[in-house]
Amino acid sequence: LYGPEIIFAHLLFWAISSAIILCFEDNGKGSFFSQLNTITVFLGGFLSFALVCRTNICYSRWWEGRCLWGSLIYAAINVVQQGSSWIDETVRFHRLACSTIGFAYACKAQLRSSSLQDDGDAPFLIENGILCQEELDAIVTQKGWQPYYFLDVMRAIINQECGTLKDAANTLDVKVAHHMAMEDSINVLSTSIGGMIRVKATGLPQGYNSFQMVLCMVFFVVASVRFTPDIGWWTPVGMGLIYHVIRMILVIGNDMEDPFGTDRRTDLPAELFCEAIHRQIKAVYDRKIILSYDLDKGPKSVSGVYNNGDNSA
């Protein structure tokens, strides 16, 4: 229905059918064709309803993908913020931040039926110290979905950190509270990527698309026969306009059906999402590592006293 050869075939059919019908009209034998108005109206109404229904289904898939990416962004930043507050060891916190960034880029590659190595992000991740070549090779060779490798890394980090808390009096309570809070954030990450994989893998039924194609073909045949007695040689032009309108609606639906591709016109901007996650996680990391003061106390004043609203010595 979309290729140039198909468009040419439609135009040729409309021109030939118009010539035949006009020939019958000239011989006074074309009154039958003008009686197809009811069938044409019925098919046109039914086709319009089917197109609206299909477009709504495709848009709902696009919208669900957008919402799931939003949840993933929120949870990715949140888990690193939790780690910033609850993980004391700098090496483990750095590992958590890097694995969360890697998770975002792995999700983008997964949703494009690719891998970190093939999607073009590997050099960037290695150059910025988010991954090393050894770990990248391990991720690529393992058979599971690559984003879940990073989820396992996150869980290993919080499990080790929660097992080394220094507050002996409240070790168990603090351990459980911190572990459960971070696990909730990781669970949102897992649910988000799982939902997006489901959206990508479960497209519209093939039978539904086939029915839509047959319905379009029947409508164009009947409508061209019906319109020829009224508009004559303008039939190919009129049918061509209707064809292109319907074609645009179908193409837009097809693009929205899988919102995780690389088409900047309709697909979700996964590159921008990953860059936003990277940028915000780096900001969280900088606040913990680079700042010269503790966030709970604030910076020191000139006199050396923490500026907490009381400037007295």
Side-chain angles (χ1 to χ4, degrees), residues 244-255:
H244 281 290
V245 171
I246 294 177
R247 177 179 179 271
M248 285 189 294
I249 296 174
L250 291 173
V251 169
I252 291 173
N254 289 342
D255 290 341

Side-chain angles (χ1 to χ4, degrees), residues 2 28 56 83 96 106 110 114 128 142-143 189 192 197 231 275 287 296 304 306:
Y2 309 126
N56 283 337
L96 176 67
Q110 176 70 43
S114 183
N128 285 270
Q142 57 103 23
K143 296 181 180 179
L189 293 174
S192 298
I197 291 174
I231 61 177
E275 290 172 6
R287 287 195 291 269
D296 59 330
Y306 283 104

